[in-house]
Amino acid sequence: MLKTGQTPRVVVVGAGIGGLVSALVLAHHGLDVTLLESASTPGGKIRQVQVDGVGVDAGPTVFTMRWVLDQMLQELGTSLEDILQLEPIGVLARHAWDGSSPTLDLHADTSRTAEAIAQFSSPQEARRFLGFCEQARNLYNTLEKPYIRSERPDLLSMVGDLGWSGVATLTGLGPFASLWRSLGRHFHDPRLQQLFGRYATYCGSSPWSAPATLMLVAQVELDGVWSVAGGMHRVAQALAQLAENRGVKLRYNSRCERIETDGGRVNGVQLASGERVPAEHVVFNGDVAALAQGLLGQELMSRFAPVTPAQRSLSAFTLSMHAQTQGFDLVRHNVFFNQDYRREFDDIFNKRNLPTQGTVYVCAQDRSDHGLAQPGLERLLCLVNAPADGDVRTFNFSEVQACESSSLALMRRCGLEITASPQQVVRTLPQDFAHLFPGSGGALYGQATHGWMSAFSRPSARSNIPGLYTAGGSVHPGPGVPMAAMSGRLAAATLMADLGLTKPSRRVVISGGTSMR
């Protein structure tokens, strides 16, 4: 706690997961923290929409890498169990293929998945899967500290941190290879290559352009996936309540109009209402592309690299539903694959169109490993990947209808029939996401992770404007709830190091082991 002198004032812009974590950590260390949120609720991309009188999670649906929040909350003297009710998921996802009757479940238990793959494909593919898991585990163990926890890694510093064994791990992977090419060395069954290639979309990328290092997502999932009682939005609500309890001044419906500077240094923010909130430090938890576009002040534009539409990650077309289902035995997470996977990403990234036939992800939010608790209507999120052009074009009715019809037809061919009235469906398009998240164009993951050097291209927590820090999925270490939460910790740690409250370090120092140990 600070004991002498004026308490530094910090404004955190945006109550997404990164902003919530930054605010919590900074308030815990005695700083005067105001958290501004333009919406009426916390969460950012962890959003919930009202459909037919019920709340449907319409953002992240997977809770992984719980050690990130576990360790932060432990340092605050509390725990995840104190603020959330979590249940481990045994069936990570159920997968179906167009034109193929068998389904394949991935399990939290690796041996059960290997048995399922042996029956679905062949014993040889099951052995290849186990080898894939071993390489993914080694890769995660190698990169966690020098990459995930580092304030901003560069190639030289990461090689130094890796040591010879770590460099050997990356060399064995083929660091210049794409994820798709690497998966082709692991699996002979194209359906398995397609299944694990989908991990590229977890950071909004194409498996043909994403680096092979993204196979570490497999280990993240095998390390544990949890459902949250009350939905993922409950994570944001619980952290917001904890932040307020710890002294954070949380202000909703307070849109930041500009980040103000004086003499080249941050000195506060101005709200859309005209009110000025003074501060010596600002943590911006929005898409950094908004800063490069001058949406928070023209004087900031030249200090941030612009992100072109071609560099953006995936957006999405989603259907949030309260509907009746039949025919297909859904679990919580389900994936329906099309037959021409490459065409899907060509449509999105090259032609900049909604996919002619896209993979459909369905989160059945009222389901557990044991199915639906009670018969009747259930909450569904159906998601199809889309180009992030929401600020430069509006997808018209015929385009949207064609994409929706092909998605529903794909699910029907796989056995799933969904029945819903018009009032039981809410559609969200790239232009809607572009409006919700200014500067993004609808991109849900910041920049696409394309090419092996893309890991080093995301902005770091410390900007080159004194007093201004960045957090969220568009900065290092990347998108997703745990990564964005880690970015919030990095921003708070970097700010405190700059204040002399902690020792400078390129890495967040976190006591204890990770969830893998």
Side-chain angles (χ1 to χ4, degrees), residues 291-366:
L291 300 173
Q293 293 173 29
L295 300 185
L296 280 297
Q298 294 293 313
E299 64 273 19
L300 304 182
M301 286 183 64
S302 63
R303 312 296 283 274
F304 292 89
V307 178
T308 66
Q311 293 174 303
R312 292 171 180 167
S313 65
L314 292 167
S315 186
F317 167 39
T318 66
L319 301 171
S320 300
M321 312 175 78
H322 192 217
Q324 185 83 42
T325 66
Q326 59 182 3
F328 184 94
D329 188 15
L330 292 167
V331 290
R332 189 172 185 86
H333 302 293
N334 312 268
V335 183
F336 298 88
F337 284 112
N338 62 64
Q339 292 183 330
D340 191 347
Y341 203 41
R342 184 186 286 271
R343 181 179 177 183
E344 174 181 348
F345 294 96
D346 182 55
D347 282 346
I348 294 170
F349 284 108
N350 296 327
K351 297 178 181 176
R352 312 303 294 184
N353 291 325
L354 295 175
T356 304
Q357 180 94 113
T359 300
V360 184
Y361 164 71
V362 178
C363 179
Q365 297 168 28
D366 296 309

Coordinates of all heavy atoms in Angstrom, one line a residue, residues 291-366:
L291 N -7.2 3.6 -31.2 CA -6.2 4.6 -31.0 C -5.5 5.0 -32.3 O -5.3 6.2 -32.5 CB -5.2 4.1 -29.9 CG -5.7 3.7 -28.6 CD1 -4.7 3.1 -27.7 CD2 -6.3 4.9 -27.9
A292 N -5.2 4.1 -33.1 CA -4.5 4.4 -34.4 C -5.4 5.1 -35.3 O -4.9 5.9 -36.2 CB -4.0 3.1 -35.0
Q293 N -6.7 5.0 -35.2 CA -7.7 5.7 -36.0 C -8.1 7.0 -35.5 O -8.8 7.8 -36.1 CB -9.0 4.8 -36.2 CG -8.8 3.5 -37.0 CD -10.0 2.7 -36.9 OE1 -11.1 3.1 -36.9 NE2 -9.8 1.4 -37.0
G294 N -7.5 7.4 -34.3 CA -7.8 8.7 -33.8 C -9.1 8.8 -33.1 O -9.6 9.9 -32.8
L295 N -9.8 7.7 -32.8 CA -11.1 7.7 -32.1 C -11.0 8.2 -30.7 O -12.1 8.6 -30.1 CB -11.7 6.3 -32.2 CG -12.0 5.7 -33.6 CD1 -12.7 4.4 -33.5 CD2 -12.7 6.7 -34.5
L296 N -9.9 8.2 -30.1 CA -9.7 8.7 -28.7 C -8.8 9.9 -28.7 O -8.3 10.3 -27.7 CB -9.1 7.6 -27.8 CG -10.0 6.5 -27.3 CD1 -11.0 7.1 -26.4 CD2 -10.6 5.6 -28.4
G297 N -8.7 10.6 -29.9 CA -7.9 11.8 -29.9 C -6.9 11.8 -31.1 O -6.2 10.8 -31.2
Q298 N -6.9 12.8 -31.9 CA -6.1 12.8 -33.1 C -4.6 12.8 -32.7 O -3.8 12.3 -33.5 CB -6.4 14.1 -33.9 CG -7.8 14.1 -34.5 CD -7.9 13.1 -35.6 OE1 -7.1 13.0 -36.5 NE2 -9.0 12.4 -35.5
E299 N -4.2 13.4 -31.5 CA -2.8 13.4 -31.2 C -2.2 12.0 -30.9 O -1.0 11.9 -30.8 CB -2.6 14.4 -30.0 CG -3.3 13.9 -28.7 CD -4.7 14.4 -28.6 OE1 -5.3 14.7 -29.6 OE2 -5.2 14.4 -27.4
L300 N -3.1 11.0 -30.7 CA -2.6 9.7 -30.4 C -2.3 8.9 -31.7 O -1.7 7.8 -31.6 CB -3.6 8.9 -29.5 CG -4.0 9.6 -28.2 CD1 -5.0 8.6 -27.5 CD2 -2.8 9.9 -27.3
M301 N -2.9 9.3 -32.8 CA -2.9 8.5 -34.0 C -1.5 8.0 -34.4 O -1.3 6.8 -34.7 CB -3.5 9.2 -35.1 CG -5.0 9.4 -35.1 SD -5.7 10.2 -36.5 CE -5.3 9.1 -37.9
S302 N -0.6 9.0 -34.4 CA 0.8 8.7 -35.0 C 1.6 7.8 -34.1 O 2.6 7.3 -34.5 CB 1.5 10.0 -35.2 OG 1.7 10.7 -34.0
R303 N 1.1 7.6 -32.9 CA 1.9 6.8 -31.9 C 1.5 5.3 -31.9 O 2.1 4.5 -31.2 CB 1.7 7.3 -30.5 CG 1.9 8.8 -30.4 CD 3.3 9.3 -30.7 NE 4.2 9.0 -29.6 CZ 4.4 9.9 -28.6 NH1 3.7 11.0 -28.5 NH2 5.2 9.6 -27.7
F304 N 0.5 4.9 -32.7 CA 0.1 3.5 -32.8 C 0.0 3.1 -34.3 O -0.5 3.9 -35.1 CB -1.3 3.4 -32.1 CG -1.3 3.5 -30.7 CD1 -1.5 4.8 -30.1 CD2 -1.0 2.5 -29.8 CE1 -1.5 5.0 -28.8 CE2 -1.0 2.7 -28.4 CZ -1.2 3.9 -27.9
A305 N 0.4 1.9 -34.5 CA 0.4 1.4 -35.9 C -1.0 1.1 -36.4 O -1.7 0.4 -35.6 CB 1.3 0.1 -36.0
P306 N -1.4 1.5 -37.5 CA -2.7 1.2 -38.0 C -2.9 -0.3 -38.4 O -1.9 -1.0 -38.7 CB -2.8 2.1 -39.3 CG -1.4 2.3 -39.7 CD -0.6 2.3 -38.5
V307 N -4.1 -0.7 -38.3 CA -4.4 -2.1 -38.6 C -5.3 -2.1 -39.8 O -6.4 -1.6 -39.7 CB -5.1 -2.9 -37.4 CG1 -5.4 -4.3 -37.8 CG2 -4.2 -2.8 -36.2
T308 N -4.9 -2.6 -40.9 CA -5.7 -2.6 -42.1 C -6.8 -3.7 -42.0 O -6.6 -4.7 -41.3 CB -4.9 -2.9 -43.4 OG1 -4.3 -4.2 -43.3 CG2 -3.7 -1.9 -43.4
P309 N -7.8 -3.6 -42.8 CA -8.8 -4.7 -42.8 C -8.2 -6.1 -43.1 O -8.7 -7.1 -42.5 CB -9.8 -4.3 -43.9 CG -9.8 -2.8 -43.8 CD -8.3 -2.5 -43.6
A310 N -7.2 -6.1 -44.0 CA -6.6 -7.4 -44.3 C -5.9 -8.0 -43.1 O -5.6 -9.2 -43.1 CB -5.7 -7.2 -45.5
Q311 N -5.4 -7.2 -42.2 CA -4.7 -7.7 -41.0 C -5.6 -8.1 -39.9 O -5.2 -8.7 -38.9 CB -3.8 -6.6 -40.5 CG -2.6 -6.2 -41.4 CD -1.8 -5.1 -40.9 OE1 -2.4 -4.0 -40.7 NE2 -0.5 -5.3 -40.7
R312 N -6.9 -7.8 -40.0 CA -7.8 -8.1 -38.9 C -8.1 -9.6 -38.8 O -8.0 -10.4 -39.7 CB -9.1 -7.4 -39.1 CG -9.0 -5.9 -39.0 CD -10.3 -5.2 -39.5 NE -10.3 -3.8 -39.4 CZ -11.2 -3.0 -39.9 NH1 -12.2 -3.5 -40.6 NH2 -11.0 -1.7 -39.8
S313 N -8.4 -10.0 -37.5 CA -8.8 -11.3 -37.3 C -10.3 -11.6 -37.7 O -10.9 -10.7 -38.3 CB -8.7 -11.6 -35.8 OG -9.7 -10.8 -35.1
L314 N -10.8 -12.7 -37.5 CA -12.2 -13.1 -37.8 C -13.2 -12.2 -37.1 O -13.0 -11.9 -35.9 CB -12.4 -14.6 -37.5 CG -11.7 -15.6 -38.4 CD1 -11.8 -17.0 -37.8 CD2 -12.2 -15.6 -39.8
S315 N -14.3 -12.0 -37.7 CA -15.5 -11.5 -37.1 C -16.4 -12.8 -37.0 O -16.0 -13.9 -37.2 CB -16.1 -10.4 -37.8 OG -17.2 -9.8 -37.1
A316 N -17.7 -12.5 -36.9 CA -18.7 -13.6 -36.8 C -20.1 -13.2 -37.2 O -20.4 -12.0 -37.1 CB -18.7 -14.3 -35.4
F317 N -20.8 -14.2 -37.6 CA -22.3 -14.1 -37.8 C -22.9 -15.0 -36.7 O -22.6 -16.2 -36.8 CB -22.7 -14.4 -39.2 CG -24.2 -14.6 -39.3 CD1 -25.1 -13.8 -38.7 CD2 -24.7 -15.6 -40.2 CE1 -26.5 -14.0 -38.8 CE2 -26.1 -15.8 -40.3 CZ -27.0 -15.0 -39.7
T318 N -23.6 -14.5 -35.8 CA -24.1 -15.3 -34.7 C -25.7 -15.3 -34.7 O -26.3 -14.3 -35.0 CB -23.6 -14.9 -33.3 OG1 -24.1 -13.6 -33.0 CG2 -22.1 -14.9 -33.3
L319 N -26.2 -16.4 -34.2 CA -27.6 -16.6 -33.9 C -27.7 -16.9 -32.4 O -27.3 -18.0 -32.0 CB -28.3 -17.7 -34.8 CG -28.2 -17.5 -36.3 CD1 -28.7 -18.8 -36.9 CD2 -29.0 -16.4 -36.8
S320 N -28.3 -16.0 -31.6 CA -28.6 -16.3 -30.2 C -30.0 -16.7 -30.2 O -30.9 -16.0 -30.6 CB -28.3 -15.0 -29.4 OG -27.0 -14.6 -29.5
M321 N -30.3 -17.9 -29.6 CA -31.6 -18.5 -29.8 C -32.1 -19.1 -28.5 O -31.3 -19.5 -27.6 CB -31.5 -19.6 -30.8 CG -30.8 -19.3 -32.1 SD -30.6 -20.6 -33.3 CE -32.2 -20.7 -34.0
H322 N -33.4 -19.1 -28.3 CA -34.1 -19.8 -27.3 C -35.1 -20.7 -28.1 O -36.1 -20.3 -28.5 CB -34.9 -18.9 -26.4 CG -35.4 -19.5 -25.1 ND1 -36.6 -19.2 -24.6 CD2 -34.9 -20.5 -24.3 CE1 -36.8 -19.9 -23.5 NE2 -35.7 -20.7 -23.3
A323 N -34.6 -22.0 -28.3 CA -35.2 -22.8 -29.3 C -35.5 -24.2 -28.9 O -35.0 -24.7 -27.8 CB -34.4 -22.8 -30.6
Q324 N -36.2 -25.0 -29.7 CA -36.4 -26.4 -29.5 C -35.5 -27.1 -30.4 O -35.3 -26.8 -31.6 CB -37.9 -26.7 -29.9 CG -38.2 -28.2 -29.6 CD -38.6 -28.4 -28.1 OE1 -39.3 -27.6 -27.5 NE2 -38.2 -29.5 -27.6
T325 N -34.8 -28.2 -29.9 CA -33.9 -29.0 -30.8 C -34.4 -30.4 -30.8 O -35.0 -30.9 -29.8 CB -32.5 -28.9 -30.3 OG1 -32.4 -29.5 -29.0 CG2 -32.0 -27.4 -30.2
Q326 N -34.0 -31.1 -31.8 CA -34.3 -32.6 -31.9 C -33.3 -33.2 -32.9 O -32.8 -32.5 -33.8 CB -35.7 -32.9 -32.3 CG -36.2 -32.3 -33.6 CD -37.6 -32.6 -33.9 OE1 -38.3 -33.2 -33.1 NE2 -38.1 -32.2 -35.1
G327 N -33.1 -34.5 -32.7 CA -32.4 -35.3 -33.7 C -30.9 -35.5 -33.5 O -30.4 -36.6 -33.8
F328 N -30.3 -34.5 -32.9 CA -28.8 -34.7 -32.7 C -28.6 -34.5 -31.2 O -29.1 -33.6 -30.5 CB -28.1 -33.6 -33.4 CG -26.6 -33.6 -33.3 CD1 -25.8 -34.3 -34.3 CD2 -25.9 -33.1 -32.3 CE1 -24.4 -34.4 -34.2 CE2 -24.5 -33.1 -32.2 CZ -23.8 -33.8 -33.2
D329 N -27.8 -35.4 -30.6 CA -27.5 -35.4 -29.2 C -26.5 -34.4 -28.8 O -25.3 -34.7 -28.8 CB -27.1 -36.8 -28.7 CG -27.0 -36.9 -27.2 OD1 -27.5 -36.1 -26.5 OD2 -26.3 -37.9 -26.8
L330 N -26.9 -33.2 -28.6 CA -26.0 -32.1 -28.3 C -25.3 -32.3 -26.9 O -26.0 -32.8 -26.0 CB -26.7 -30.7 -28.3 CG -27.3 -30.2 -29.6 CD1 -28.2 -29.0 -29.4 CD2 -26.1 -29.8 -30.5
V331 N -24.1 -31.8 -26.8 CA -23.5 -31.6 -25.5 C -23.3 -30.1 -25.4 O -23.8 -29.3 -26.2 CB -22.1 -32.3 -25.4 CG1 -22.4 -33.8 -25.3 CG2 -21.2 -32.0 -26.6
R332 N -22.5 -29.6 -24.5 CA -22.4 -28.1 -24.3 C -21.7 -27.5 -25.5 O -22.2 -26.5 -26.0 CB -21.6 -27.8 -23.0 CG -21.7 -26.3 -22.7 CD -21.1 -26.0 -21.4 NE -21.2 -24.6 -21.0 CZ -22.3 -24.1 -20.4 NH1 -23.3 -24.9 -20.1 NH2 -22.4 -22.8 -20.1
H333 N -20.6 -28.1 -26.0 CA -19.9 -27.5 -27.2 C -20.0 -28.5 -28.3 O -19.6 -29.6 -28.2 CB -18.4 -27.2 -26.8 CG -18.3 -26.3 -25.6 ND1 -18.7 -25.0 -25.7 CD2 -17.9 -26.5 -24.4 CE1 -18.5 -24.4 -24.5 NE2 -18.0 -25.3 -23.7
N334 N -20.4 -28.0 -29.5 CA -20.6 -28.8 -30.7 C -20.1 -28.1 -31.9 O -20.2 -26.8 -32.0 CB -22.1 -29.1 -30.9 CG -22.8 -29.6 -29.6 OD1 -22.9 -30.7 -29.3 ND2 -23.2 -28.6 -28.8
V335 N -19.5 -28.8 -32.8 CA -19.0 -28.3 -34.1 C -19.5 -29.1 -35.2 O -19.3 -30.3 -35.3 CB -17.4 -28.2 -34.0 CG1 -16.9 -27.6 -35.3 CG2 -16.9 -27.5 -32.8
F336 N -20.0 -28.4 -36.2 CA -20.5 -29.0 -37.5 C -19.6 -28.5 -38.6 O -19.6 -27.4 -39.0 CB -22.0 -28.6 -37.7 CG -22.9 -29.1 -36.6 CD1 -23.1 -28.3 -35.5 CD2 -23.5 -30.3 -36.6 CE1 -23.9 -28.7 -34.4 CE2 -24.3 -30.8 -35.6 CZ -24.5 -30.0 -34.5
F337 N -18.9 -29.5 -39.2 CA -17.9 -29.1 -40.2 C -18.5 -29.3 -41.6 O -19.2 -30.2 -41.9 CB -16.7 -30.1 -40.1 CG -15.7 -29.7 -39.0 CD1 -15.6 -30.6 -37.9 CD2 -15.0 -28.6 -39.0 CE1 -14.7 -30.3 -36.9 CE2 -14.1 -28.2 -38.0 CZ -14.0 -29.1 -36.9
N338 N -18.1 -28.3 -42.5 CA -18.4 -28.4 -43.9 C -17.4 -29.4 -44.6 O -16.5 -29.8 -44.0 CB -18.5 -27.1 -44.5 CG -17.1 -26.4 -44.5 OD1 -16.1 -26.9 -45.1 ND2 -17.0 -25.3 -43.8
Q339 N -17.7 -29.6 -45.9 CA -16.9 -30.5 -46.7 C -15.6 -29.8 -47.3 O -14.6 -30.5 -47.5 CB -17.7 -31.2 -47.8 CG -18.7 -32.2 -47.2 CD -19.5 -32.8 -48.4 OE1 -19.7 -32.3 -49.4 NE2 -19.9 -34.1 -48.1
D340 N -15.7 -28.6 -47.5 CA -14.6 -27.8 -48.2 C -14.1 -26.8 -47.2 O -14.5 -25.6 -47.3 CB -15.1 -27.2 -49.5 CG -14.0 -26.7 -50.4 OD1 -12.9 -26.6 -49.8 OD2 -14.2 -26.3 -51.5
Y341 N -13.2 -27.2 -46.4 CA -12.8 -26.3 -45.3 C -11.9 -25.2 -45.8 O -12.1 -24.0 -45.4 CB -11.9 -27.2 -44.3 CG -11.8 -26.6 -42.9 CD1 -12.9 -26.0 -42.3 CD2 -10.7 -26.6 -42.2 CE1 -12.9 -25.5 -41.0 CE2 -10.6 -26.1 -40.9 CZ -11.7 -25.6 -40.3 OH -11.6 -25.0 -39.0
R342 N -11.1 -25.4 -46.8 CA -10.2 -24.4 -47.3 C -11.1 -23.2 -48.0 O -10.8 -22.1 -47.8 CB -9.3 -24.9 -48.4 CG -8.3 -23.9 -48.9 CD -7.5 -24.5 -50.1 NE -6.5 -25.4 -49.6 CZ -5.2 -25.1 -49.3 NH1 -4.9 -23.8 -49.3 NH2 -4.4 -26.0 -48.9
R343 N -12.2 -23.6 -48.6 CA -13.0 -22.6 -49.3 C -13.6 -21.6 -48.2 O -13.8 -20.5 -48.5 CB -14.1 -23.3 -50.0 CG -15.1 -22.3 -50.8 CD -16.1 -23.1 -51.5 NE -17.0 -22.1 -52.2 CZ -18.1 -22.5 -52.9 NH1 -18.4 -23.8 -53.1 NH2 -18.9 -21.6 -53.4
E344 N -13.9 -22.1 -47.0 CA -14.4 -21.3 -46.0 C -13.5 -20.1 -45.7 O -13.9 -18.9 -45.7 CB -14.7 -22.1 -44.7 CG -15.1 -21.2 -43.5 CD -15.3 -22.0 -42.3 OE1 -15.4 -23.3 -42.3 OE2 -15.4 -21.4 -41.2
F345 N -12.2 -20.4 -45.6 CA -11.3 -19.3 -45.2 C -10.9 -18.5 -46.5 O -10.5 -17.3 -46.3 CB -10.0 -19.9 -44.6 CG -10.4 -20.5 -43.2 CD1 -10.7 -21.9 -43.1 CD2 -10.5 -19.8 -42.1 CE1 -11.0 -22.4 -41.9 CE2 -10.8 -20.3 -40.9 CZ -11.1 -21.6 -40.8
D346 N -11.0 -19.1 -47.7 CA -10.8 -18.3 -48.9 C -11.9 -17.3 -49.0 O -11.7 -16.1 -49.4 CB -10.8 -19.2 -50.1 CG -10.5 -18.5 -51.4 OD1 -9.5 -17.7 -51.5 OD2 -11.3 -18.6 -52.3
D347 N -13.2 -17.7 -48.8 CA -14.3 -16.8 -48.8 C -14.1 -15.6 -47.8 O -14.4 -14.5 -48.2 CB -15.6 -17.5 -48.4 CG -16.2 -18.4 -49.5 OD1 -15.7 -18.2 -50.7 OD2 -17.0 -19.3 -49.3
I348 N -13.6 -15.9 -46.6 CA -13.6 -14.9 -45.6 C -12.4 -14.0 -45.8 O -12.5 -12.7 -45.9 CB -13.5 -15.6 -44.2 CG1 -14.8 -16.3 -43.9 CG2 -13.2 -14.5 -43.1 CD1 -14.8 -17.2 -42.7
F349 N -11.2 -14.5 -45.9 CA -10.0 -13.7 -45.9 C -9.6 -13.2 -47.2 O -9.0 -12.1 -47.3 CB -8.8 -14.5 -45.3 CG -8.9 -14.6 -43.8 CD1 -9.2 -15.8 -43.2 CD2 -8.6 -13.5 -43.0 CE1 -9.2 -15.9 -41.8 CE2 -8.7 -13.6 -41.6 CZ -9.0 -14.8 -41.0
N350 N -9.9 -13.9 -48.3 CA -9.5 -13.4 -49.6 C -10.7 -12.7 -50.4 O -10.5 -11.6 -50.9 CB -9.0 -14.6 -50.5 CG -7.8 -15.2 -49.9 OD1 -6.9 -14.5 -49.3 ND2 -7.6 -16.5 -50.0
K351 N -11.9 -13.3 -50.4 CA -13.0 -12.7 -51.1 C -13.8 -11.8 -50.2 O -14.6 -11.0 -50.7 CB -13.9 -13.8 -51.6 CG -13.3 -14.8 -52.6 CD -14.2 -15.9 -53.0 CE -13.6 -16.8 -54.0 NZ -14.4 -18.0 -54.4
R352 N -13.5 -11.8 -48.9 CA -14.2 -10.9 -47.9 C -15.7 -11.0 -47.9 O -16.4 -10.1 -47.8 CB -13.8 -9.4 -48.2 CG -12.3 -9.2 -48.3 CD -11.4 -9.6 -47.2 NE -11.7 -8.9 -46.0 CZ -11.0 -9.1 -44.8 NH1 -10.0 -10.0 -44.8 NH2 -11.3 -8.3 -43.8
N353 N -16.1 -12.3 -48.0 CA -17.6 -12.6 -48.0 C -17.9 -13.5 -46.8 O -17.1 -14.1 -46.3 CB -18.0 -13.3 -49.3 CG -17.9 -12.4 -50.5 OD1 -18.2 -11.2 -50.4 ND2 -17.5 -13.0 -51.7
L354 N -19.2 -13.5 -46.5 CA -19.7 -14.5 -45.6 C -19.5 -15.9 -46.3 O -19.7 -16.0 -47.5 CB -21.2 -14.3 -45.3 CG -21.6 -13.1 -44.5 CD1 -23.1 -13.0 -44.4 CD2 -21.0 -13.1 -43.1
P355 N -19.1 -16.9 -45.5 CA -18.7 -18.2 -46.2 C -20.0 -18.8 -46.9 O -21.1 -18.8 -46.3 CB -18.2 -19.0 -45.1 CG -18.8 -18.4 -43.8 CD -18.9 -17.0 -44.1
T356 N -19.7 -19.4 -48.1 CA -20.8 -20.1 -48.8 C -21.3 -21.2 -47.9 O -22.5 -21.5 -47.9 CB -20.3 -20.6 -50.1 OG1 -19.7 -19.4 -50.9 CG2 -21.4 -21.2 -50.9
Q357 N -20.3 -21.9 -47.3 CA -20.6 -23.0 -46.4 C -19.6 -23.0 -45.3 O -18.5 -23.5 -45.4 CB -20.6 -24.4 -47.1 CG -20.9 -25.5 -46.3 CD -22.4 -26.0 -46.3 OE1 -22.7 -27.0 -46.8 NE2 -23.3 -25.1 -45.8
G358 N -20.0 -22.4 -44.2 CA -19.1 -22.3 -43.0 C -19.3 -23.3 -42.0 O -20.3 -23.9 -41.8
T359 N -18.2 -23.6 -41.3 CA -18.3 -24.4 -40.1 C -19.2 -23.7 -39.1 O -19.2 -22.5 -38.9 CB -16.9 -24.6 -39.4 OG1 -16.0 -25.2 -40.4 CG2 -17.0 -25.4 -38.2
V360 N -20.0 -24.5 -38.4 CA -21.0 -23.9 -37.4 C -20.6 -24.4 -36.0 O -20.6 -25.7 -35.8 CB -22.4 -24.3 -37.7 CG1 -23.4 -23.6 -36.7 CG2 -22.8 -23.9 -39.2
Y361 N -20.4 -23.5 -35.1 CA -20.2 -23.8 -33.7 C -21.5 -23.6 -33.0 O -22.1 -22.5 -33.1 CB -19.0 -23.0 -33.1 CG -19.0 -23.0 -31.6 CD1 -18.6 -24.1 -30.9 CD2 -19.4 -21.9 -30.9 CE1 -18.6 -24.1 -29.5 CE2 -19.4 -21.9 -29.5 CZ -19.0 -23.0 -28.8 OH -19.0 -23.0 -27.4
V362 N -21.9 -24.5 -32.1 CA -23.1 -24.4 -31.4 C -22.8 -24.6 -29.9 O -22.3 -25.7 -29.5 CB -24.2 -25.4 -31.8 CG1 -25.4 -25.3 -30.9 CG2 -24.5 -25.2 -33.3
C363 N -23.0 -23.6 -29.1 CA -22.9 -23.7 -27.6 C -24.3 -23.9 -27.1 O -25.2 -23.0 -27.1 CB -22.3 -22.5 -27.0 SG -22.1 -22.6 -25.2
A364 N -24.6 -25.1 -26.6 CA -25.9 -25.4 -26.0 C -25.7 -25.2 -24.5 O -25.3 -26.1 -23.7 CB -26.3 -26.9 -26.3
Q365 N -26.1 -24.0 -24.1 CA -25.8 -23.5 -22.7 C -26.5 -24.1 -21.6 O -26.1 -23.9 -20.4 CB -25.9 -22.0 -22.7 CG -25.0 -21.3 -23.7 CD -25.3 -19.9 -24.0 OE1 -25.8 -19.2 -23.1 NE2 -24.9 -19.4 -25.2
D366 N -27.6 -24.9 -21.9 CA -28.3 -25.6 -20.8 C -27.9 -27.0 -20.7 O -28.6 -27.8 -20.0 CB -29.8 -25.4 -21.0 CG -30.2 -24.0 -20.9 OD1 -29.9 -23.3 -20.0 OD2 -30.9 -23.5 -21.9

